[in-house]
Amino acid sequence: MYAYLEAELDKLKTRLIKMGTLVEEQIEFAIKTIFEENLELGKIVIDRDDKIDKFDIKIDKLCQKIFAIGQPVATDLRLLMSSLSINKDLERMGDIAVSIVERAEHLAGHTDLLKKIRLEEMSQKVLVMINKTINSFINNDPDLALEIIKSDAVIDEMDREIFNMIINEMIENPSLIKPGAHTLLLLRYLERLADHSTNISEEVIFLVNANIIKHRKKLDEYLQKHAPELLSGTQTDSEKTEGQPNLPDT
């Protein structure tokens, strides 16, 4: 029975890695669609979104099957629990990639503005976060996962600064109000991608070390032990968006 369980868990992790790799590429293509104004890449992102949805369903069903038949415990059980959460985050990241592509038509001709307000720089930092997130799961690396959690504070700071820059550009030049509104959405999508990467990193830490850090108190306790310099900079989702409008995720 254990050999069967081990084989099913290996299949589960393999599917998650394949899904994560595809999601990473989808986001890379989506960002290039915006900054390179490459609409062909955008079409690829939209066409492949269905593939991500199929991964999502297959992974959910496989988790249900393992729960029902395998009776996993300890590390195996944590892998199952983490996989369900990671699968959800990856699926949402795939949806965000499509939402980014949908902004391309509205932002065509405004790449200079996006670069001026450092949105391209932020997008590259988010891509690095996502790549490290996938690698932390592949390699069961809690130290790399913690590095991702640290870098989320940088993205949050950029989010606040760029938000204010967009508002100022719209005030100074009313002709930028419409593209500015779509830029605010793009900013929101990038920030959410960083948050989903952080969520997955928290699951990696749970998987490897059995530490649950998804809530503020538990996160502070973990950071106190592993990265005390971050304690003053950590924020909850509600704190991150304080003073900003409630923009949709997709």
Side-chain angles (χ1 to χ4, degrees):
M1 173 61 77
Y2 185 76
Y4 168 80
L5 175 61
E6 189 173 25
E8 292 297 285
L9 290 170
D10 285 343
K11 183 192 297 184
L12 174 61
K13 184 159 186 176
T14 298
R15 284 184 179 173
L16 273 171
I17 291 171
K18 287 181 178 179
M19 182 181 183
T21 301
L22 176 59
V23 167
E24 180 184 358
E25 189 173 60
Q26 286 282 89
I27 295 165
E28 182 182 357
F29 281 9
I31 289 172
K32 286 182 177 179
T33 299
I34 295 291
F35 291 99
E36 298 179 7
E37 299 189 13
N38 188 336
L39 298 183
E40 290 303 313
L41 284 178
K43 290 178 182 178
I44 293 174
V45 171
I46 292 172
D47 289 344
R48 294 196 306 191
D49 185 54
D50 184 57
K51 190 173 182 179
I52 292 174
D53 292 338
K54 288 179 180 178
F55 266 120
D56 173 41
I57 294 169
K58 286 181 179 179
I59 289 169
D60 266 352
K61 287 184 176 180
L62 183 56
C63 286
Q64 292 170 17
K65 177 182 176 183
I66 296 172
F67 268 124
I69 300 175
Q71 298 179 333
V73 295
T75 303
D76 294 341
L77 180 59
R78 292 203 303 275
L79 175 58
L80 267 182
M81 295 171 65
S82 295
S83 295
L84 287 169
S85 294
I86 292 171
N87 184 41
K88 181 179 178 181
D89 279 300
L90 288 175
E91 192 275 332
R92 290 293 298 114
M93 292 168 80
D95 286 345
I96 291 173
V98 173
S99 296
I100 289 173
V101 167
E102 291 172 347
R103 305 274 74 76
E105 181 180 348
H106 303 286
L107 292 172
H110 295 284
T111 52
D112 287 344
L113 170 65
L114 301 182
K115 292 176 181 179
K116 177 183 176 182
I117 61 176
R118 299 177 65 205
L119 205 56
E120 184 177 38
E121 178 186 346
M122 179 178 176
S123 70
Q124 294 306 309
K125 289 182 182 296
V126 169
L127 281 174
V128 171
M129 277 187 74
I130 294 168
N131 176 262
K132 289 182 177 180
T133 297
I134 303 302
N135 285 331
S136 72
F137 177 70
I138 292 172
N139 299 314
N140 288 339
D141 189 342
D143 292 331
L144 183 56
L146 182 58
E147 182 181 328
I148 295 156
I149 294 172
K150 292 178 182 180
S151 63
D152 187 48
V154 175
I155 299 299
D156 291 340
E157 182 61 29
M158 291 190 75
D159 176 46
R160 288 187 290 270
E161 292 177 358
I162 294 173
F163 176 86
N164 290 327
M165 284 192 280
I166 296 169
I167 297 301
N168 288 335
E169 291 287 340
M170 294 165 72
I171 291 172
E172 293 174 6
N173 188 349
S175 67
L176 293 177
I177 288 176
K178 186 174 180 179
H182 289 286
T183 304
L184 286 171
L185 287 172
L186 178 57
L187 175 65
R188 172 64 170 172
Y189 299 150
L190 292 173
E191 191 272 335
R192 289 306 298 159
L193 286 172
D195 284 347
H196 285 299
S197 292
T198 300
N199 291 344
I200 294 172
S201 300
E202 291 171 354
E203 292 299 332
V204 170
I205 289 172
F206 168 68
L207 170 62
V208 179
N209 294 338
N211 292 115
I212 299 174
I213 61 171
K214 64 177 63 177
H215 299 297
R216 179 60 180 264
K217 182 179 179 180
K218 294 296 184 181
L219 175 59
D220 284 353
E221 290 174 355
Y222 190 84
L223 291 177
Q224 182 65 57
K225 182 176 181 180
H226 297 276
E229 72 279 5
L230 289 180
L231 279 172
S232 60
T234 56
Q235 291 182 301
T236 62
D237 284 346
S238 61
E239 290 170 335
K240 289 179 183 180
T241 56
E242 185 177 355
Q244 296 186 9
N246 187 22
L247 299 174
D249 288 344
T250 57

